[in-house]
Amino acid sequence: MPDPSRLVLIPSYNTGPRVLQTVREARAAWDPVWVVVDGSTDGTDALLLAEAAADSGLEVMVLPRNGGKGGAVLHGLREAARRGFTHALTMDADGQHPASRIAAMMEASRTAPEAMILGRPVFGPEAPQLRVQGRRISNGLASLQTLGGGIGDCLFGFRVYPVGPLVAVMERHRWMRRFDFDPEAAVRLAWRGVPAVNLPVPVRYLSAEEGGVSHFHYARDNLLLTWMHTRLVLGMLPRLPALLWRRRRAVHPPLAAAPRR
């Protein structure tokens, strides 16, 4: 059942007509759905605005220039916080994330409102193996940076975030605005003490004939991720005592005080 404190937030940049199907599937699963059009130049802003004009549960925000996925998400999160929303489910506009799992993710968030609910991708046979194998490096580094903080997959963007903590983290740092958003958000929230709950989610890589669009550039974005992991490792060092203490308490929780006689 929809929850007035939670919304679906979809950043979109030059996704083509496929974004309409993504939005319609999300709307069938949840109310409300917001789309942040991140400076698109493919005409999808007009398509989405027309869709929203006929659907009171859909809101479209159009940014004048492209600022990156994280920048678009932050724009939506600030507005969500202003209107009193406490949690936001983020999903990609390109059809990789299944709208059929929105309700389960939101229910997990209701059960553990203090947590970030992270989708753990279950890949189909069409998934590029270079991408599937390469993400193991990022996942291993995220585990190191949080000392086993429970992040199942740091790159998968199908998640429910607590809005307040994520906005606070993002406003303290000028990074996390492009493809570095998903992994850095998870690590920095874990540093902040936000627990992670992982749920398996099927992911589908659509072919170009199916309307699939990818803006990931291997050289540019792998350099971006390398710099991100470098600064996160450096940022982990002064936090080591707190992370070690937190891990020790997780493994050896304090004994409850004996009742008085």
Side-chain angles (χ1 to χ4, degrees), residues 10 12 15-24 35 44 48 93-94:
I10 304 176
S12 177
T15 316
R18 184 61 179 78
V19 68
L20 286 177
Q21 183 175 343
T22 298
V23 168
R24 288 166 183 166
V35 182
T44 48
L48 289 163
D94 59 7

Side-chain angles (χ1 to χ4, degrees), residues 66-191:
N66 177 255
K69 177 181 180 178
V73 169
L74 179 58
H75 180 89
L77 290 175
R78 284 171 170 156
E79 182 61 19
R82 189 184 71 81
R83 298 195 205 176
F85 288 95
T86 60
H87 293 77
L89 181 146
T90 59
M91 64 184 294
D92 290 351
D94 59 7
Q96 288 191 21
H97 300 158
S100 61
R101 299 303 175 96
I102 289 174
M105 297 286 284
M106 293 295 202
E107 182 58 34
S109 176
R110 277 193 286 256
T111 301
E114 76 287 355
M116 51 180 163
I117 312 301
L118 307 179
R120 184 194 292 267
V122 179
F123 294 102
E126 79 288 347
Q129 286 304 300
L130 183 60
R131 298 279 292 274
V132 174
Q133 299 301 324
R135 70 194 306 119
R136 293 182 178 179
I137 298 173
S138 280
N139 288 335
L141 287 168
S143 181
L144 168 67
Q145 291 150 4
T146 59
L147 294 189
I151 299 171
D153 190 286
C154 71
L155 292 167
F156 195 52
F158 191 64
R159 300 171 168 178
V160 183
Y161 291 107
V163 171
L166 182 53
V167 170
V169 164
M170 293 189 75
E171 289 185 341
R172 289 187 59 190
H173 302 278
R174 64 188 183 93
W175 307 106
M176 307 171 61
R177 300 299 189 264
R178 295 193 176 273
F179 275 108
D180 53 353
F181 164 69
D182 290 315
E184 189 158 356
V187 169
R188 290 194 180 277
L189 285 174
W191 285 351

